């Protein structure tokens, strides 16, 4: 049974609490021992937070692998049903079952190296070809035009622009975790 620490109306489950260190050298952390109420807090290299895997190197590779594993199963599903239903319905199914996994958190994980994202983008392109019943040599730009969406890197940029637009024109729609970023004080002040 995990111990629960209460502070006001907030609760902290010690058994579900972990920490990661970002940007520090391993030699600087050998003696680091975090405790709450004499219970050790476990150090992890990555953890899942609100459906997104955050790793201590902020490479996002684990999260990209997680998304990849979620959507790869749709490759065979779409391939099997592509001859039985039309492209518009397949497109609707793509936006219902594949696209949300790619879109969720892309503002964060899309900021990684293109080489890390390429595996996911190649899989997405393959699914789009199957959905549209197109041959392997079809240009990706045509695949994205038909679906009215963008490749991963452009989708990341678009979502960042939408976030900034919300901040400027509809700040009440910004979630707290993002609004804090816009009100942060400069380091040198």
């Amino acid at each position: 049974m995990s111990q629960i620490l209460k502070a006001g109306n907030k609760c902290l489950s010690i058994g579900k609490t972990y920490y990661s260190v970002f940007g520090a050298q391993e030699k600087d952390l050998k003696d680091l021992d975090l405790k709450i109420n004499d219970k050790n807090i476990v150090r992890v290299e990555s953890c899942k937070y609100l459906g997104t895997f955050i790793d201590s190197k902020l490479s996002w590779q684990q999260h990209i692998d997680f998304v990849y594993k979620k959507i790869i199963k749709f490759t065979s599903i779409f391939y099997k049903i592509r001859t039985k239903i039309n492209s518009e319905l397949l497109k609707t199914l793509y936006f219902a079952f594949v696209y949300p996994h790619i879109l969720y958190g892309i503002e964060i994980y899309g900021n990684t190296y293109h080489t890390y994202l390429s595996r996911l983008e190649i899989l997405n392109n393959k699914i789009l070809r199957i959905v549209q019943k197109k041959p392997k040599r079809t240009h990706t730009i045509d695949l994205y035009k038909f679906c009215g969406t963008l490749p991963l890197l452009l989708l990341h940029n678009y979502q960042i622009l939408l976030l900034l637009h919300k901040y400027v024109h509809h700040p009440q729609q910004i979630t707290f975790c993002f609004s804090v970023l816009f009100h942060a004080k400069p380091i040198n002040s």
Side-chain angles (χ1 to χ4, degrees), residues 73-100:
K73 62 185 170 195
F74 291 103
T75 306
S76 62
I77 293 170
F78 282 127
Y79 191 78
K80 289 175 185 173
I81 65 172
R82 79 186 195 297
T83 58
K84 303 197 182 351
I85 57 180
N86 67 36
S87 290
E88 281 300 321
L89 183 53
L90 284 168
K91 179 176 149 182
T92 301
L93 293 172
Y94 167 81
F95 278 105
F97 295 109
V98 175
Y99 189 73

Side-chain angles (χ1 to χ4, degrees), residues 97-160:
F97 295 109
V98 175
Y99 189 73
H101 293 294
I102 293 170
L103 188 63
Y104 183 75
I106 198 164
E107 300 90 344
I108 298 166
Y109 82 83
N111 196 35
T112 191
Y113 296 108
H114 177 67
T115 53
Y116 296 166
L117 283 175
S118 65
R119 182 172 165 228
L120 185 58
E121 188 164 45
I122 289 167
L123 176 61
N124 190 46
N125 293 345
K126 182 177 184 174
I127 293 170
L128 288 174
R129 279 189 185 91
I130 294 168
V131 163
Q132 297 173 43
K133 304 173 188 176
K134 299 288 185 182
K136 286 184 181 182
R137 295 200 180 264
T138 305
H139 291 285
T140 55
I141 194 85
D142 296 330
L143 299 173
Y144 287 97
K145 270 186 192 177
F146 174 79
C147 284
T149 187
L150 298 166
L152 267 61
L153 293 174
L154 294 176
L155 186 60
H156 167 258
N157 293 341
Y158 179 71
Q159 289 302 117
I160 294 294

Side-chain angles (χ1 to χ4, degrees), residues 4 12 18 26 31 33 42 46 50 56 79 94 96 105 134 138 148-150 166 171-172 189:
I4 296 180
L12 177 69
Y18 305 97
E26 188 65 36
D31 298 327
D33 189 24
V42 177
S46 70
L50 297 176
S56 61
Y79 191 78
Y94 167 81
K134 299 288 185 182
T138 305
T149 187
L150 298 166
K166 278 185 189 176
Q172 70 280 3
S189 53

